[in-house]
Amino acid sequence: MKWAVEGLREQINRSKKLKMRLASTRAVVAFALFPMMGAVSPLLAYPAIAGRFGEAGWSSIAVGQSVGSAVSVVIELGWVLTGPQAIASAPHSERLVIFAVALRSRLMIASIALPLAVGVVCLLEPPDVLAAAMASVAMGLTGLSGTWFFIGLGKPGGIFVTDALPRLLAAILGVCAITVVGLGLEAFAALMIVGYLASPLLTLLVVKPSWGVIRHARASSGVLREQLVALVGRGASATYIGLPSALIQAFAPSAVAVFAAVERLMRLGLLVLQAVPNSLQHSLGKARLEGRVPQVIPSIITLQIASGVISGALCWLAVPYAVHLLFTQRLSVSNEVAALAGLVVLLTSTSRGTGLVLVAMDRLSWIAASGVIAALGGLAVIGPLAGEYGPTGGFLALVVAESMALCIQMVGLVWVWRVGRVPHSEAPHPMRSSTPIG
């Protein structure tokens, strides 16, 4: 009888473990699929844009999106970096307050940053200035997205409803506008603005914070310091993540079309890879509360390196054919460019793992330092390299920047590990001090 009871218990435990693994697998797939849908949306329009408006049209949209991507990082105000783990580790009563503080702070930044993005695009003088300026506004609005909130909750379904779906519908309507109806490139950019603006509005409808919480939410000094450090890191990295196409437009305009095409596909692949750290955010927030962060560090970094190796190799092999197909055989990609893009994927995937751990350790200063140093290195070499070697030089600059960022973060991890200053579960999260002030 005792033997039968023990066997039954073992079966129940195995069943529970299997269910947990299936749930984890579903979460990773969902975190990959839903953000990818939002990112693939503009990709659906690239063949139509290139086919109807040629390299001039595609370059205009690419420059606008490049500037807007950088601006979106500023508008995010670091909440994408620190928010998920704050939400995961916060009591239910504090989550809406954190959301409200983030919303108010980002709206304030957006009111300043979006007009500046339009001004920068006008200074760069792409072939279609109006379409490029509108594309920069559309991409800048992604900084208001609430995906970080749903990542912290561990609920990828919220990302689909509030972000992926409106972007996908906007892209489909945009393609119809320029192909079926025959409207100009500005019509496509306008519809993208509508789709990207719908994302934060739908997030409000799903999260449902009360007007009182939004109106009275204030960021404490601790929150402001935390977000300032996060913004420095994110903002600095934007110069080599979001601005390469715009910078190459200034130094080597003829290289923009090929560089931007490969870079867009590479960023799409990196967005899919983001599913792995996204799925870990919720559990890492819990590990932080329980003081188990040191135990999970090796597995997180190993997982990120493995996914980077596999994805980098796929990028190297597939990008030339994908560009050839998507851009209606108007662009060709060299093997050197494809290989360097794959190397960027590997470096970025690895640094995401180190960055994730540094956030859990409350060591945002190392992330900020890595972003600043990488930005300085990338800015110093991207112009000369792109001018001399074209798209190959542009990707060499990205490799230099990502390598510098990873090295600084690795130094930070080693330092934190050796001095033993890993935060304990009782340590309050700085964002927890954000309370409504009446």
Side-chain angles (χ1 to χ4, degrees):
M1 187 69 177
K2 185 178 179 181
W3 175 84
V5 171
E6 290 295 331
L8 182 60
R9 286 178 180 174
E10 186 176 347
Q11 275 192 326
I12 293 174
N13 289 333
R14 287 179 181 176
S15 178
K16 288 181 178 179
K17 290 180 180 179
L18 180 59
K19 288 181 179 180
M20 291 176 62
R21 289 175 183 173
L22 289 174
S24 177
T25 302
R26 285 196 297 268
V28 173
V29 171
F31 276 120
L33 180 61
F34 296 150
M36 184 183 67
M37 286 178 61
V40 165
S41 301
L43 188 66
L44 298 175
Y46 293 166
I49 293 172
R52 180 145 190 264
F53 302 102
E55 284 192 20
W58 160 239
S59 297
S60 299
I61 294 296
V63 169
Q65 289 183 336
S66 178
V67 174
S69 178
V71 167
S72 73
V73 173
V74 177
I75 294 173
E76 286 171 0
L77 204 58
W79 290 100
V80 172
L81 184 64
T82 58
Q85 290 189 36
I87 295 297
S89 58
H92 179 75
S93 59
E94 294 183 5
R95 287 173 177 172
L96 290 183
V97 176
I98 294 174
F99 176 81
V101 170
L103 178 64
R104 290 194 59 167
S105 59
R106 290 185 298 160
L107 284 173
M108 180 182 66
I109 298 298
S111 65
I112 301 170
L114 292 177
L116 288 177
V118 173
V120 171
V121 169
C122 293
L123 290 175
L124 291 172
E125 298 182 346
D128 191 331
V129 176
L130 179 57
M134 295 173 71
S136 72
V137 172
M139 189 60 70
L141 287 171
T142 61
L144 297 175
S145 171
T147 55
W148 62 272
F149 184 81
F150 298 109
I151 290 171
L153 292 178
K155 295 181 178 180
I159 299 175
F160 172 75
V161 173
T162 65
D163 196 69
L165 188 58
R167 289 195 195 189
L168 180 61
L169 292 176
I172 293 173
L173 291 174
V175 170
C176 292
I178 63 177
T179 56
V180 179
V181 183
L183 298 179
L185 196 55
E186 294 80 8
F188 169 78
L191 285 167
M192 295 308 294
I193 290 176
V194 173
Y196 285 25
L197 183 59
S199 177
L201 295 177
L202 288 171
T203 302
L204 278 173
L205 292 176
V206 172
V207 178
K208 297 179 180 178
S210 68
W211 173 245
V213 171
I214 295 176
R215 185 163 58 92
H216 294 298
R218 297 289 188 275
S220 69
S221 58
V223 173
L224 291 175
R225 285 194 300 269
E226 185 89 355
Q227 295 312 117
L228 180 60
V229 174
L231 176 59
V232 169
R234 291 280 293 167
S237 64
T239 59
Y240 66 90
I241 292 176
L243 283 179
S245 294
L247 294 173
I248 291 176
Q249 169 71 23
F251 288 95
S254 61
V256 171
V258 172
F259 176 87
V262 176
E263 198 244 0
R264 289 296 181 277
L265 291 174
M266 181 191 74
R267 296 298 173 192
L268 174 62
L270 286 171
L271 184 63
V272 175
L273 280 182
Q274 186 66 41
V276 178
N278 282 354
S279 63
L280 295 172
Q281 292 273 24
H282 184 74
S283 58
L284 191 54
K286 299 300 182 183
R288 173 196 173 91
L289 285 175
E290 298 168 3
R292 295 186 294 104
V293 173
Q295 284 77 16
V296 301
I297 290 176
S299 59
I300 288 176
I301 296 179
T302 301
L303 183 62
Q304 288 297 122
I305 293 174
S307 61
V309 170
I310 296 171
S311 302
L314 289 175
C315 177
W316 175 25
L317 297 173
V319 156
Y321 301 100
V323 170
H324 190 69
L325 177 65
L326 286 172
F327 292 88
T328 61
Q329 304 179 7
R330 291 173 180 262
L331 303 175
S332 59
V333 178
S334 67
N335 187 59
E336 291 80 10
V337 168
L340 288 171
L343 182 55
V344 172
V345 169
L346 170 59
L347 292 170
T348 304
S349 179
T350 305
S351 65
R352 282 175 175 174
T354 55
L356 195 66
V357 173
L358 286 170
V359 170
M361 290 179 167
D362 277 344
R363 295 298 180 264
L364 292 177
S365 57
W366 284 99
I367 298 178
S370 70
V372 170
I373 293 173
L376 292 175
L379 284 174
V381 299
I382 193 168
L385 286 176
E388 182 70 24
Y389 303 107
T392 303
F395 277 98
L396 274 172
L398 292 184
V399 169
V400 170
E402 291 293 349
S403 298
M404 295 175 74
L406 178 59
C407 287
I408 297 300
Q409 290 187 15
M410 290 298 295
V411 170
L413 278 180
V414 172
W415 182 84
V416 172
W417 189 273
R418 285 187 174 179
V419 300
R421 296 180 181 176
V422 180
H424 300 290
S425 59
E426 65 271 12
H429 196 287
M431 285 191 218
R432 294 256 181 110
S433 59
S434 58
T435 55
I437 300 175

